Amino acid sequence: MKPKIILYIASSLDGFIARIDGSVDWLDKYSESGQDYGYREFFESVDTVIVGNKTQKKFPQKYGDKTCFVFSRSSEGTDGNITYVKGDVKEFMKKCKLQGRIWLVGGADLIDQFLKYGLIDEFIISMMPEILGSGIPLFKTMDLTRLKLVKSTPYGNVMQVHYKK
Ligand SMILES: NC(=O)c1ccc[n+]([C@@H]2O[C@H](COP(=O)([O-])OP(=O)(O)OC[C@H]3O[C@@H](n4cnc5c(N)ncnc54)[C@H](OP(=O)(O)O)[C@@H]3O)[C@@H](O)[C@H]2O)c1
């Protein structure tokens, strides 16, 4: 069965995932709120995690027992369940023959590469009521249409939208 790549991410209301310097201090109050925005259920539903190295460096995580691939041109090898990989993302998907549900964590650089190949099947975006004015945009590629709304879930002040290709 074809693997499913799912982007699960938090965005400011004006479409940024981090400030220009990469900081996500504006998300702190949400992670400290006690609300998990469906994270645990989502995390348990995925088999594999794919991350860009800037994100991994910012949030060094092992992602439990999930198979984890970190894209990097500067690091290689393995670290527990993490394998550093590089190169064209479509080639990687072909070569690795991944199965099941794959969480594409981000950041924007990696998302853009998967998006350009039309490899992202689902988008789960938590829209945080924050207007940053500038930062790292969630999407760089502009030509993405025909998404179907699967669900919208309010978590207090936050609206989480779930779209499928
Ligand atoms: N709001 C959220 O929920 C959320 C979620 C995720 C991330 N973020 C934020 O996003 C920011 C990072 O995003 P970003 O766009 O700057 O960077 P990124 O996508 O996380 O990582 C970019 C890095 O990934 C590696 N890379 C990318 N494509 C590659 C390829 N094809 N082959 C090999 N390596 C590749 C390179 O690592 P090397 O430099 O090692 O070569 C590159 O510098 C962080 O500040 C993080 O806080 C926010």
Side-chain angles (χ1 to χ4, degrees), residues 1-13:
M1 208 175 83
K2 196 177 165 287
K4 191 168 276 186
I5 302 183
I6 305 147
L7 174 67
Y8 176 97
I9 201 161
S11 169
S12 70
L13 206 53

Side-chain angles (χ1 to χ4, degrees), residues 8-11 16-19 21-24 26-27 51-59 71-75 85-89 105-111 113 136 140:
Y8 176 97
I9 201 161
S11 169
F16 298 107
I17 58 167
R19 295 190 195 277
D21 66 0
S23 64
V24 288
W26 50 282
L27 286 176
V51 194
N53 202 27
K54 283 194 184 158
T55 298
Q56 185 62 17
K57 281 182 174 162
K58 196 93 188 157
F59 305 108
F71 270 83
S72 173
R73 298 179 187 93
S74 61
S75 306
V85 294
K86 54 167 71 69
D88 183 79
V89 300
V105 177
D109 180 2
L110 202 58
I111 292 169
Q113 296 171 54
I136 300 175
K140 299 177 184 179

Side-chain angles (χ1 to χ4, degrees), residues 13-159:
L13 206 53
D14 51 348
F16 298 107
I17 58 167
R19 295 190 195 277
I20 289 284
D21 66 0
S23 64
V24 288
D25 54 312
W26 50 282
L27 286 176
D28 288 351
K29 59 177 167 293
Y30 300 98
S31 38
E32 287 157 9
S33 71
Q35 173 62 262
D36 91 334
Y37 309 96
Y39 174 77
R40 183 171 294 277
E41 193 184 342
F42 172 75
F43 183 72
E44 279 166 10
S45 79
V46 301
D47 306 286
T48 307
V49 176
I50 296 180
V51 194
N53 202 27
K54 283 194 184 158
T55 298
Q56 185 62 17
K57 281 182 174 162
K58 196 93 188 157
F59 305 108
Q61 286 194 61
K62 299 278 188 196
Y63 296 101
D65 59 353
K66 311 289 180 192
T67 302
C68 179
F69 294 99
V70 175
F71 270 83
S72 173
R73 298 179 187 93
S74 61
S75 306
E76 50 191 17
T78 57
D79 175 13
N81 57 332
I82 292 175
T83 304
Y84 288 91
V85 294
K86 54 167 71 69
D88 183 79
V89 300
K90 193 173 182 179
E91 287 303 312
F92 164 80
M93 287 304 297
K94 231 190 254 171
K95 208 173 78 189
C96 268
K97 294 190 169 56
L98 298 177
Q99 301 285 320
R101 286 165 61 83
I102 302 166
W103 175 20
L104 177 60
V105 177
D109 180 2
L110 202 58
I111 292 169
D112 192 50
Q113 296 171 54
F114 277 84
L115 211 48
K116 279 185 174 141
Y117 283 125
L119 288 170
I120 305 180
D121 300 289
E122 297 188 25
F123 301 76
I124 303 177
I125 303 170
S126 296
M127 303 296 303
M128 307 326 231
E130 304 285 326
I131 296 174
L132 301 182
S134 63
I136 300 175
L138 168 55
F139 298 122
K140 299 177 184 179
T141 301
M142 303 308 285
D143 188 13
L144 184 72
T145 55
R146 296 186 300 274
L147 294 178
K148 186 172 185 285
L149 183 67
V150 177
K151 198 160 80 167
S152 57
T153 313
Y155 290 99
N157 235 356
V158 172
M159 180 58 83

